[in-house]
Coordinates of all heavy atoms in Angstrom, one line a residue:
M1 N 0.9 -1.2 0.0 CA 0.0 0.0 0.0 C 0.9 1.2 0.0 O 1.8 1.4 0.8 CB -0.9 0.0 1.2 CG -2.1 1.0 1.1 SD -3.4 0.5 2.2 CE -2.8 1.1 3.8
A2 N 0.6 2.1 -0.9 CA 1.5 3.3 -1.0 C 1.1 4.3 0.1 O 0.0 4.3 0.6 CB 1.2 4.0 -2.4
Q3 N 2.1 5.0 0.5 CA 2.0 6.0 1.5 C 1.1 7.2 1.0 O 0.4 7.8 1.7 CB 3.3 6.6 1.8 CG 4.2 5.7 2.7 CD 4.3 6.2 4.1 OE1 3.9 7.3 4.4 NE2 4.7 5.3 5.0
I4 N 1.3 7.5 -0.3 CA 0.6 8.6 -0.9 C -0.4 8.1 -1.9 O -0.1 7.2 -2.7 CB 1.6 9.6 -1.5 CG1 2.4 10.3 -0.4 CG2 0.9 10.6 -2.5 CD1 3.6 11.0 -0.9
R5 N -1.6 8.7 -1.8 CA -2.7 8.2 -2.7 C -3.3 9.4 -3.4 O -3.1 10.6 -3.0 CB -3.8 7.5 -1.9 CG -3.3 6.2 -1.4 CD -4.5 5.5 -0.8 NE -4.1 4.9 0.4 CZ -5.0 4.5 1.3 NH1 -6.3 4.8 1.2 NH2 -4.6 3.9 2.4
K6 N -4.1 9.1 -4.4 CA -4.8 10.1 -5.2 C -5.6 11.0 -4.2 O -6.2 10.4 -3.3 CB -5.7 9.4 -6.2 CG -6.3 10.3 -7.2 CD -7.2 9.5 -8.2 CE -7.9 10.5 -9.1 NZ -8.9 9.9 -9.9
N7 N -5.7 12.3 -4.5 CA -6.4 13.3 -3.8 C -5.8 13.6 -2.4 O -6.3 14.5 -1.7 CB -7.9 12.9 -3.6 CG -8.6 12.9 -4.9 OD1 -8.4 13.8 -5.7 ND2 -9.6 12.0 -5.1
D8 N -4.7 13.0 -2.1 CA -3.9 13.5 -0.9 C -3.4 14.9 -1.2 O -3.1 15.2 -2.3 CB -2.8 12.5 -0.6 CG -3.2 11.3 0.1 OD1 -4.3 11.2 0.5 OD2 -2.4 10.3 0.2
R9 N -3.2 15.6 -0.1 CA -2.5 16.8 -0.2 C -1.0 16.5 0.1 O -0.7 15.9 1.1 CB -3.0 17.9 0.7 CG -2.5 19.2 0.6 CD -3.4 20.3 1.2 NE -2.8 21.6 0.8 CZ -2.9 22.2 -0.3 NH1 -3.7 21.6 -1.2 NH2 -2.3 23.3 -0.6
V10 N -0.1 17.0 -0.7 CA 1.3 16.7 -0.5 C 2.2 17.9 -0.6 O 1.8 18.9 -1.2 CB 1.8 15.6 -1.5 CG1 1.2 14.2 -1.3 CG2 1.7 16.0 -2.9
K11 N 3.4 17.8 0.0 CA 4.3 18.9 -0.1 C 5.6 18.3 -0.7 O 6.0 17.1 -0.4 CB 4.6 19.4 1.3 CG 5.6 20.6 1.2 CD 5.6 21.3 2.6 CE 6.3 22.6 2.5 NZ 5.8 23.7 3.3
V12 N 6.2 19.1 -1.6 CA 7.5 18.6 -2.3 C 8.6 18.9 -1.3 O 8.8 20.1 -0.9 CB 7.7 19.3 -3.6 CG1 8.9 18.7 -4.3 CG2 6.5 19.1 -4.5
I13 N 9.4 17.9 -1.0 CA 10.4 18.1 0.0 C 11.8 18.1 -0.5 O 12.8 18.3 0.2 CB 10.3 17.0 1.2 CG1 10.3 15.6 0.6 CG2 9.1 17.3 2.0 CD1 10.6 14.5 1.6
A14 N 11.9 17.9 -1.8 CA 13.3 17.9 -2.5 C 13.1 18.2 -3.9 O 12.1 18.2 -4.5 CB 13.9 16.5 -2.3
G15 N 14.3 18.7 -4.5 CA 14.3 19.0 -5.9 C 13.9 20.4 -6.2 O 13.7 21.2 -5.3
K16 N 13.8 20.7 -7.5 CA 13.5 22.1 -7.9 C 12.2 22.7 -7.5 O 11.9 23.9 -7.4 CB 13.8 22.4 -9.4 CG 12.8 21.7 -10.3 CD 13.2 22.0 -11.8 CE 12.4 21.2 -12.7 NZ 11.0 21.6 -12.9
E17 N 11.2 21.8 -7.2 CA 9.9 22.2 -6.9 C 9.7 22.2 -5.4 O 8.5 22.2 -4.9 CB 8.9 21.2 -7.5 CG 8.9 21.2 -9.0 CD 8.5 22.5 -9.7 OE1 7.3 22.8 -9.6 OE2 9.3 23.1 -10.3
Q18 N 10.8 22.1 -4.7 CA 10.7 22.0 -3.2 C 9.9 23.1 -2.6 O 10.0 24.3 -3.0 CB 12.1 22.1 -2.6 CG 12.2 21.7 -1.2 CD 13.7 21.6 -0.7 OE1 14.6 21.6 -1.5 NE2 13.9 21.5 0.6
G19 N 9.1 22.7 -1.6 CA 8.2 23.7 -0.9 C 6.9 23.9 -1.5 O 6.0 24.4 -0.8
K20 N 6.6 23.4 -2.7 CA 5.3 23.5 -3.3 C 4.4 22.5 -2.7 O 4.7 21.4 -2.4 CB 5.4 23.4 -4.8 CG 6.0 24.6 -5.5 CD 5.9 24.5 -6.9 CE 6.6 25.7 -7.6 NZ 6.5 25.6 -9.1
E21 N 3.1 22.9 -2.7 CA 2.1 21.9 -2.3 C 1.0 21.8 -3.3 O 0.7 22.7 -4.0 CB 1.4 22.5 -1.0 CG 2.2 22.2 0.3 CD 1.4 22.7 1.5 OE1 0.2 22.6 1.5 OE2 2.1 23.1 2.4
G22 N 0.4 20.6 -3.3 CA -0.7 20.4 -4.2 C -1.4 19.1 -3.9 O -1.1 18.3 -3.1
R23 N -2.5 18.9 -4.7 CA -3.3 17.7 -4.6 C -2.8 16.6 -5.6 O -2.4 17.0 -6.7 CB -4.7 18.0 -4.9 CG -5.7 17.0 -4.6 CD -7.2 17.5 -4.7 NE -7.4 18.1 -6.1 CZ -7.9 17.3 -7.1 NH1 -8.2 16.1 -6.9 NH2 -8.0 17.8 -8.3
V24 N -2.7 15.4 -5.1 CA -2.2 14.3 -6.0 C -3.3 14.0 -7.0 O -4.5 13.7 -6.7 CB -1.9 13.1 -5.2 CG1 -1.5 11.9 -6.1 CG2 -0.7 13.4 -4.2
L25 N -2.9 14.1 -8.3 CA -3.9 13.8 -9.4 C -3.9 12.3 -9.7 O -4.9 11.7 -10.1 CB -3.5 14.6 -10.6 CG -3.6 16.1 -10.4 CD1 -3.0 16.8 -11.7 CD2 -5.0 16.6 -10.2
K26 N -2.7 11.8 -9.7 CA -2.5 10.4 -10.1 C -1.2 9.8 -9.5 O -0.3 10.5 -9.3 CB -2.4 10.3 -11.6 CG -2.6 9.0 -12.3 CD -2.7 9.1 -13.8 CE -2.6 7.8 -14.5 NZ -3.8 7.0 -14.3
V27 N -1.3 8.5 -9.1 CA -0.1 7.9 -8.6 C 0.3 6.7 -9.5 O -0.6 5.9 -9.9 CB -0.4 7.3 -7.2 CG1 0.9 6.6 -6.7 CG2 -0.7 8.4 -6.2
Y28 N 1.5 6.7 -9.9 CA 2.0 5.6 -10.8 C 2.8 4.7 -9.8 O 4.0 4.9 -9.6 CB 2.9 6.1 -11.9 CG 2.3 7.1 -12.8 CD1 2.5 8.5 -12.7 CD2 1.4 6.6 -13.8 CE1 1.8 9.4 -13.6 CE2 0.8 7.5 -14.7 CZ 1.0 8.9 -14.6 OH 0.4 9.7 -15.4
V29 N 2.1 3.7 -9.3 CA 2.7 2.9 -8.3 C 3.9 2.1 -8.8 O 5.0 2.1 -8.1 CB 1.6 1.8 -7.7 CG1 2.3 0.9 -6.7 CG2 0.4 2.5 -7.2
E30 N 3.8 1.6 -10.0 CA 5.0 0.8 -10.5 C 6.2 1.7 -10.8 O 7.3 1.2 -10.8 CB 4.5 0.0 -11.7 CG 4.1 0.7 -13.0 CD 2.7 1.4 -12.9 OE1 2.0 1.2 -11.9 OE2 2.4 2.1 -13.8
K31 N 5.9 2.9 -11.1 CA 7.1 3.8 -11.4 C 7.5 4.6 -10.2 O 8.5 5.3 -10.2 CB 6.7 4.9 -12.5 CG 6.5 4.3 -13.8 CD 6.1 5.4 -14.8 CE 5.7 4.9 -16.2 NZ 4.9 5.8 -16.9
G32 N 6.8 4.5 -9.1 CA 7.1 5.2 -7.9 C 7.0 6.7 -8.0 O 7.8 7.5 -7.5
S33 N 6.1 7.2 -8.8 CA 6.0 8.6 -9.0 C 4.5 9.0 -9.0 O 3.6 8.2 -9.0 CB 6.6 9.0 -10.4 OG 6.0 8.4 -11.4
A34 N 4.3 10.3 -9.0 CA 2.9 10.8 -9.0 C 2.8 12.2 -9.7 O 3.8 12.9 -9.8 CB 2.5 11.0 -7.5
L35 N 1.6 12.5 -10.1 CA 1.3 13.8 -10.7 C 0.7 14.7 -9.6 O -0.2 14.2 -8.9 CB 0.4 13.7 -11.8 CG 0.8 13.0 -13.1 CD1 -0.3 13.1 -14.2 CD2 2.1 13.6 -13.6
V36 N 1.2 15.9 -9.4 CA 0.6 16.8 -8.4 C 0.1 18.0 -9.0 O 0.8 18.6 -9.9 CB 1.7 17.1 -7.3 CG1 1.1 18.0 -6.2 CG2 2.3 15.9 -6.7
E37 N -1.1 18.4 -8.7 CA -1.8 19.5 -9.3 C -0.9 20.8 -9.3 O -0.5 21.2 -8.2 CB -3.1 19.7 -8.6 CG -4.0 20.6 -9.4 CD -5.4 20.7 -8.7 OE1 -5.4 20.7 -7.4 OE2 -6.4 20.8 -9.4
R38 N -0.7 21.4 -10.4 CA 0.0 22.6 -10.6 C 1.5 22.6 -10.1 O 2.1 23.6 -9.8 CB -0.7 23.8 -9.9 CG -2.1 24.1 -10.6 CD -2.7 25.4 -10.1 NE -2.8 25.5 -8.7 CZ -3.9 25.0 -8.0 NH1 -4.9 24.5 -8.7 NH2 -3.9 25.1 -6.7
V39 N 2.0 21.4 -10.0 CA 3.4 21.3 -9.6 C 4.2 20.6 -10.6 O 3.7 19.6 -11.2 CB 3.6 20.6 -8.2 CG1 5.1 20.4 -7.8 CG2 2.8 21.3 -7.1
N40 N 5.4 21.1 -10.9 CA 6.3 20.5 -11.9 C 5.7 20.5 -13.3 O 5.7 19.5 -14.0 CB 6.7 19.0 -11.5 CG 7.9 18.5 -12.3 OD1 8.8 19.2 -12.6 ND2 7.9 17.2 -12.5
F41 N 5.3 21.7 -13.7 CA 4.8 21.8 -15.1 C 5.9 21.6 -16.1 O 7.0 22.1 -15.9 CB 4.3 23.3 -15.3 CG 2.9 23.4 -14.9 CD1 2.5 24.3 -13.9 CD2 1.9 22.6 -15.5 CE1 1.2 24.5 -13.6 CE2 0.5 22.8 -15.1 CZ 0.2 23.7 -14.2
V42 N 5.6 20.8 -17.1 CA 6.5 20.6 -18.2 C 5.8 21.0 -19.5 O 4.6 20.8 -19.6 CB 7.0 19.2 -18.3 CG1 7.9 18.9 -17.1 CG2 5.9 18.2 -18.3
K43 N 6.6 21.5 -20.4 CA 6.0 21.9 -21.7 C 6.0 20.7 -22.6 O 6.9 20.0 -22.7 CB 6.9 23.0 -22.3 CG 6.7 24.4 -21.6 CD 7.3 25.5 -22.4 CE 7.0 26.9 -21.9 NZ 7.7 27.2 -20.7
R44 N 4.8 20.6 -23.3 CA 4.7 19.5 -24.2 C 4.3 20.1 -25.6 O 3.4 21.0 -25.6 CB 3.6 18.5 -23.8 CG 4.0 17.8 -22.5 CD 3.6 16.4 -22.6 NE 4.2 15.7 -21.4 CZ 3.4 15.0 -20.5 NH1 2.2 14.8 -20.8 NH2 4.0 14.5 -19.4
H45 N 4.9 19.6 -26.6 CA 4.5 20.1 -27.9 C 3.4 19.2 -28.5 O 3.5 18.0 -28.4 CB 5.7 20.1 -28.8 CG 6.8 21.0 -28.4 ND1 7.0 22.2 -28.9 CD2 7.8 20.8 -27.5 CE1 8.0 22.8 -28.3 NE2 8.5 22.0 -27.4
T46 N 2.4 19.9 -29.0 CA 1.4 19.1 -29.7 C 1.3 19.4 -31.1 O 1.7 20.4 -31.6 CB 0.0 19.4 -29.1 OG1 -0.2 20.8 -29.2 CG2 -0.1 19.1 -27.6
R47 N 0.9 18.4 -31.9 CA 0.9 18.6 -33.3 C -0.5 18.9 -33.8 O -1.5 18.3 -33.3 CB 1.3 17.3 -34.0 CG 2.8 17.2 -34.1 CD 3.3 15.8 -34.4 NE 4.6 15.6 -33.9 CZ 5.4 14.7 -34.4 NH1 5.1 14.0 -35.4 NH2 6.6 14.6 -33.8
P48 N -0.6 19.7 -34.9 CA -1.9 19.9 -35.4 C -2.5 18.6 -35.9 O -1.8 17.8 -36.5 CB -1.7 20.9 -36.6 CG -0.2 21.2 -36.6 CD 0.5 20.3 -35.6
G49 N -3.8 18.5 -35.7 CA -4.6 17.4 -36.2 C -4.4 16.1 -35.4 O -4.9 15.1 -35.7
G50 N -3.7 16.3 -34.3 CA -3.5 15.1 -33.4 C -4.8 14.8 -32.7 O -5.7 15.6 -32.8
K51 N -4.8 13.8 -32.0 CA -6.0 13.4 -31.2 C -6.4 14.5 -30.3 O -5.6 14.9 -29.4 CB -5.7 12.1 -30.4 CG -6.6 11.0 -30.7 CD -6.4 9.8 -29.8 CE -6.9 8.5 -30.4 NZ -6.4 7.4 -29.6
G52 N -7.6 15.0 -30.4 CA -8.1 15.9 -29.4 C -7.6 17.3 -29.6 O -8.0 18.2 -28.8
S53 N -6.8 17.6 -30.6 CA -6.3 19.0 -30.7 C -6.4 19.4 -32.1 O -6.0 18.8 -33.1 CB -4.8 19.1 -30.2 OG -4.0 18.4 -31.1
Q54 N -7.0 20.6 -32.3 CA -7.2 21.2 -33.6 C -5.9 21.9 -34.1 O -5.5 21.8 -35.2 CB -8.3 22.2 -33.6 CG -9.7 21.6 -33.2 CD -10.2 20.6 -34.3 OE1 -10.1 20.8 -35.5 NE2 -10.7 19.5 -33.8
Q55 N -5.3 22.6 -33.1 CA -4.1 23.3 -33.4 C -2.9 22.8 -32.7 O -3.0 22.2 -31.7 CB -4.3 24.8 -33.0 CG -5.4 25.5 -33.7 CD -5.7 26.9 -33.1 OE1 -5.6 27.0 -31.9 NE2 -6.0 27.8 -33.9
G56 N -1.7 23.0 -33.4 CA -0.5 22.6 -32.7 C -0.1 23.6 -31.8 O -0.6 24.7 -31.8
G57 N 0.9 23.3 -30.9 CA 1.3 24.4 -30.0 C 2.0 23.7 -28.8 O 2.3 22.6 -28.8
I58 N 2.2 24.6 -27.8 CA 2.8 24.1 -26.6 C 1.8 24.1 -25.5 O 1.2 25.2 -25.3 CB 4.1 25.0 -26.3 CG1 5.1 24.8 -27.4 CG2 4.6 24.5 -24.9 CD1 6.2 25.9 -27.3
I59 N 1.6 23.1 -24.8 CA 0.8 23.1 -23.6 C 1.6 22.7 -22.4 O 2.6 22.0 -22.5 CB -0.4 22.1 -23.8 CG1 0.1 20.7 -24.1 CG2 -1.4 22.5 -24.8 CD1 -0.9 19.6 -23.8
E60 N 1.2 23.2 -21.3 CA 1.9 22.9 -20.1 C 1.1 21.9 -19.3 O -0.1 22.0 -19.1 CB 2.1 24.2 -19.2 CG 3.2 25.0 -19.8 CD 3.7 26.1 -18.9 OE1 2.8 26.9 -18.5 OE2 4.8 26.1 -18.5
K61 N 1.8 20.9 -18.8 CA 1.1 19.8 -18.1 C 2.0 19.4 -16.9 O 3.2 19.6 -16.9 CB 1.0 18.6 -19.0 CG -0.4 18.3 -19.4 CD -0.5 17.0 -20.1 CE -1.7 16.2 -19.6 NZ -1.7 14.8 -19.6
E62 N 1.3 18.8 -15.9 CA 2.1 18.4 -14.8 C 3.0 17.2 -15.2 O 2.5 16.3 -15.9 CB 1.2 17.9 -13.6 CG 0.5 19.1 -12.9 CD -0.9 19.4 -13.5 OE1 -1.2 18.8 -14.5 OE2 -1.6 20.2 -12.9
G63 N 4.2 17.2 -14.7 CA 5.1 16.1 -15.0 C 5.2 15.3 -13.7 O 5.0 15.8 -12.6
P64 N 5.5 14.0 -13.8 CA 5.6 13.1 -12.6 C 6.7 13.5 -11.7 O 7.8 14.0 -12.1 CB 5.8 11.7 -13.2 CG 6.2 11.9 -14.6 CD 5.8 13.2 -15.0
L65 N 6.5 13.4 -10.4 CA 7.5 13.6 -9.4 C 7.7 12.3 -8.6 O 6.7 11.5 -8.4 CB 6.9 14.6 -8.4 CG 6.8 16.1 -8.9 CD1 5.7 16.8 -8.1 CD2 8.1 16.8 -8.7
K66 N 8.9 12.1 -8.2 CA 9.2 10.8 -7.4 C 8.4 10.9 -6.1 O 8.4 11.9 -5.4 CB 10.7 10.7 -7.2 CG 11.5 10.4 -8.4 CD 11.4 8.9 -8.6 CE 12.0 8.5 -10.0 NZ 11.4 7.3 -10.6
L67 N 7.9 9.8 -5.7 CA 7.1 9.7 -4.5 C 8.1 10.0 -3.3 O 7.7 10.5 -2.3 CB 6.5 8.3 -4.3 CG 5.3 8.0 -5.2 CD1 4.9 6.6 -5.0 CD2 4.2 8.9 -4.9
S68 N 9.3 9.7 -3.5 CA 10.3 9.9 -2.4 C 10.5 11.4 -2.1 O 11.1 11.8 -1.1 CB 11.6 9.2 -2.7 OG 12.2 9.7 -3.9
K69 N 10.1 12.2 -3.1 CA 10.3 13.7 -2.9 C 9.0 14.3 -2.4 O 8.9 15.5 -2.3 CB 10.7 14.3 -4.3 CG 12.0 14.0 -4.7 CD 12.4 14.7 -6.0 CE 13.8 14.4 -6.4 NZ 14.1 15.0 -7.7
L70 N 8.0 13.5 -2.1 CA 6.7 14.0 -1.7 C 6.4 13.6 -0.3 O 6.8 12.5 0.1 CB 5.6 13.5 -2.6 CG 5.7 13.9 -4.1 CD1 4.6 13.2 -4.8 CD2 5.7 15.4 -4.3
M71 N 5.8 14.5 0.5 CA 5.4 14.1 1.8 C 3.9 14.5 2.0 O 3.5 15.6 1.6 CB 6.3 14.8 2.8 CG 6.2 14.2 4.2 SD 7.5 14.9 5.3 CE 8.2 13.4 5.8
L72 N 3.2 13.6 2.6 CA 1.8 13.9 2.8 C 1.6 15.0 3.8 O 2.3 15.1 4.8 CB 1.2 12.6 3.4 CG -0.3 12.7 3.6 CD1 -1.0 12.3 2.3 CD2 -0.8 11.7 4.7
V73 N 0.7 15.9 3.5 CA 0.3 17.0 4.4 C -0.9 16.5 5.1 O -2.0 16.2 4.5 CB 0.0 18.3 3.6 CG1 -0.5 19.4 4.6 CG2 1.3 18.8 2.9
C74 N -0.8 16.4 6.4 CA -1.9 15.9 7.2 C -3.1 16.8 7.2 O -3.0 18.0 7.4 CB -1.4 15.8 8.7 SG -2.8 15.4 9.8
P75 N -4.3 16.3 6.8 CA -5.5 17.2 6.7 C -5.9 17.7 8.1 O -6.7 18.6 8.2 CB -6.5 16.3 6.1 CG -6.0 14.9 6.2 CD -4.6 14.9 6.4
K76 N -5.5 17.0 9.1 CA -5.9 17.4 10.5 C -5.0 18.5 11.1 O -5.5 19.5 11.6 CB -5.9 16.2 11.4 CG -6.8 15.1 11.0 CD -8.3 15.5 11.1 CE -9.2 14.3 11.0 NZ -9.0 13.4 9.8
C77 N -3.7 18.3 11.0 CA -2.8 19.3 11.6 C -2.1 20.2 10.6 O -1.4 21.1 10.9 CB -1.8 18.7 12.5 SG -0.6 17.6 11.7
S78 N -2.4 20.0 9.3 CA -1.8 20.7 8.2 C -0.3 20.8 8.1 O 0.3 21.7 7.7 CB -2.4 22.2 8.2 OG -3.8 22.2 8.2
K79 N 0.3 19.8 8.7 CA 1.8 19.7 8.6 C 2.2 18.5 7.8 O 1.6 17.5 7.8 CB 2.3 19.5 10.0 CG 2.1 20.8 10.9 CD 2.9 20.7 12.2 CE 2.7 21.9 13.0 NZ 2.1 21.7 14.3
P80 N 3.3 18.7 7.1 CA 3.9 17.5 6.3 C 4.3 16.5 7.4 O 5.0 16.8 8.3 CB 5.1 18.1 5.6 CG 5.0 19.6 5.7 CD 4.2 19.9 6.9
S81 N 3.8 15.3 7.2 CA 4.1 14.3 8.2 C 4.3 12.9 7.7 O 3.7 12.6 6.6 CB 3.1 14.3 9.3 OG 1.8 14.2 8.7
R82 N 5.0 12.1 8.4 CA 5.0 10.7 8.0 C 3.7 10.0 8.5 O 3.1 10.5 9.4 CB 6.2 10.0 8.7 CG 7.5 10.6 8.3 CD 8.7 9.6 8.5 NE 9.9 10.2 7.8 CZ 10.2 10.0 6.6 NH1 9.4 9.2 5.8 NH2 11.2 10.5 6.0
T83 N 3.4 9.0 7.8 CA 2.2 8.3 8.2 C 2.5 6.9 8.7 O 3.5 6.3 8.4 CB 1.2 8.1 7.0 OG1 1.9 7.4 6.0 CG2 0.7 9.5 6.5
G84 N 1.7 6.5 9.6 CA 1.8 5.1 10.2 C 0.5 4.4 9.7 O -0.4 4.9 9.2
R85 N 0.5 3.1 10.0 CA -0.6 2.3 9.7 C -1.3 1.8 11.0 O -0.6 1.5 11.9 CB -0.2 1.0 8.9 CG 0.5 1.4 7.6 CD -0.4 1.6 6.5 NE 0.2 2.3 5.4 CZ 1.1 1.8 4.6 NH1 1.5 0.5 4.7 NH2 1.7 2.5 3.7
R86 N -2.6 1.7 10.9 CA -3.3 1.2 12.0 C -4.4 0.3 11.5 O -5.0 0.5 10.5 CB -4.0 2.5 12.6 CG -4.3 2.4 14.1 CD -4.9 3.7 14.5 NE -4.0 4.6 15.2 CZ -4.2 5.9 15.4 NH1 -5.3 6.5 14.9 NH2 -3.3 6.6 16.0
V87 N -4.6 -0.8 12.2 CA -5.6 -1.7 11.8 C -6.8 -1.6 12.8 O -6.7 -1.6 14.0 CB -5.1 -3.2 11.9 CG1 -6.3 -4.2 11.5 CG2 -3.9 -3.4 11.0
L88 N -8.0 -1.3 12.2 CA -9.2 -1.0 13.0 C -9.8 -2.4 13.4 O -9.4 -3.4 13.0 CB -10.2 -0.2 12.1 CG -9.7 1.1 11.6 CD1 -10.9 1.8 10.9 CD2 -9.3 2.0 12.8
D89 N -10.8 -2.3 14.3 CA -11.5 -3.4 14.8 C -12.1 -4.3 13.7 O -12.1 -5.5 13.8 CB -12.6 -3.0 15.8 CG -12.0 -2.4 17.0 OD1 -10.8 -2.7 17.3 OD2 -12.7 -1.7 17.7
D90 N -12.5 -3.7 12.6 CA -13.1 -4.4 11.5 C -12.1 -5.0 10.6 O -12.4 -5.6 9.5 CB -14.2 -3.6 10.8 CG -13.6 -2.4 10.1 OD1 -12.3 -2.2 10.1 OD2 -14.3 -1.7 9.4
G91 N -10.8 -4.8 10.9 CA -9.8 -5.4 10.0 C -9.3 -4.4 8.9 O -8.3 -4.8 8.3
S92 N -9.9 -3.3 8.7 CA -9.5 -2.4 7.7 C -8.2 -1.6 8.1 O -8.1 -1.3 9.3 CB -10.6 -1.5 7.3 OG -11.0 -0.7 8.4
R93 N -7.4 -1.3 7.2 CA -6.2 -0.6 7.5 C -6.3 0.9 7.2 O -6.8 1.2 6.1 CB -5.0 -1.1 6.7 CG -4.5 -2.5 7.1 CD -3.8 -3.1 5.9 NE -3.6 -4.5 6.2 CZ -2.5 -5.0 6.8 NH1 -1.5 -4.2 7.2 NH2 -2.3 -6.3 7.1
V94 N -5.9 1.7 8.0 CA -6.0 3.1 7.8 C -4.6 3.8 8.1 O -3.8 3.2 8.8 CB -7.1 3.9 8.6 CG1 -8.5 3.4 8.3 CG2 -6.8 3.6 10.1
R95 N -4.4 4.9 7.5 CA -3.2 5.7 7.8 C -3.4 6.7 8.9 O -4.5 7.2 9.0 CB -2.7 6.4 6.5 CG -2.3 5.5 5.4 CD -2.1 6.2 4.1 NE -3.2 7.0 3.7 CZ -3.2 7.9 2.7 NH1 -2.1 8.1 2.0 NH2 -4.3 8.5 2.4
Y96 N -2.5 6.9 9.6 CA -2.6 8.0 10.6 C -1.3 8.9 10.6 O -0.3 8.5 10.2 CB -2.8 7.4 12.0 CG -1.7 6.7 12.7 CD1 -0.8 7.4 13.5 CD2 -1.4 5.4 12.4 CE1 0.3 6.8 14.1 CE2 -0.3 4.8 13.0 CZ 0.5 5.4 13.8 OH 1.6 4.8 14.4
C97 N -1.5 10.1 11.1 CA -0.5 11.0 11.1 C 0.4 10.8 12.3 O -0.1 10.7 13.4 CB -1.1 12.4 11.2 SG 0.0 13.8 11.5
K98 N 1.7 10.7 12.1 CA 2.6 10.5 13.2 C 2.9 11.7 14.0 O 3.4 11.7 15.1 CB 3.9 9.9 12.7 CG 3.8 8.4 12.3 CD 5.2 7.8 12.1 CE 5.0 6.3 11.8 NZ 6.2 5.7 11.4
K99 N 2.5 12.9 13.5 CA 2.6 14.1 14.2 C 1.5 14.3 15.3 O 1.8 14.5 16.4 CB 2.7 15.3 13.3 CG 4.0 15.5 12.6 CD 4.5 17.0 12.7 CE 5.9 17.1 12.3 NZ 6.1 17.1 10.8
C100 N 0.3 14.3 14.8 CA -0.8 14.5 15.7 C -1.5 13.3 16.1 O -2.4 13.3 17.0 CB -1.8 15.6 15.1 SG -2.6 14.9 13.6
G101 N -1.3 12.2 15.5 CA -1.9 10.9 15.8 C -3.3 10.7 15.3 O -3.9 9.7 15.5
E102 N -3.8 11.7 14.5 CA -5.1 11.6 13.9 C -5.2 10.7 12.8 O -4.2 10.6 12.0 CB -5.6 13.0 13.5 CG -5.9 13.9 14.6 CD -7.2 13.6 15.4 OE1 -8.1 12.9 14.8 OE2 -7.3 14.0 16.5
Q103 N -6.3 10.0 12.6 CA -6.5 9.1 11.5 C -6.7 9.9 10.2 O -7.4 10.9 10.2 CB -7.7 8.3 11.8 CG -8.0 7.2 10.8 CD -9.2 6.4 11.3 OE1 -9.3 6.0 12.4 NE2 -10.2 6.2 10.4
I104 N -6.0 9.5 9.1 CA -6.1 10.3 7.9 C -7.2 9.7 7.0 O -8.0 10.5 6.4 CB -4.8 10.3 7.2 CG1 -3.8 11.1 8.0 CG2 -4.9 10.8 5.7 CD1 -2.3 11.0 7.5
D105 N -7.3 8.4 6.9 CA -8.3 7.8 6.1 C -9.6 7.6 6.9 O -9.5 7.4 8.1 CB -7.9 6.5 5.6 CG -6.6 6.6 4.7 OD1 -6.6 7.4 3.8 OD2 -5.6 5.8 5.0
S106 N -10.7 7.8 6.2 CA -12.0 7.5 6.9 C -12.4 6.1 6.7 O -12.0 5.4 5.8 CB -13.1 8.5 6.4 OG -13.1 8.5 5.0
Ligands
LIG201 ZN1 -1.5 15.5 11.8

């Protein structure tokens, strides 16, 4: 189970995008990377007549960031924090914030 999941709020802790925060749009588990909303924009060239585009040009899109450079921002205490795992009475596993101890997943 990945530490970081889609729709989590994360902070970039290393690299040129360090300090930025955003929502996780997609996690590529096998690649160990994720797309974070409005972070790490990369320019992509598109061709005229290509799929879904009428005109060619340059579009900016989020590029993947290594999961190791991201840290979850706790929704309860709003601090970047490591997460732990907890097993509930019904057997389901949830993540919790190691800073404030609050459960992150519902
Ligand atoms: Zn917390």
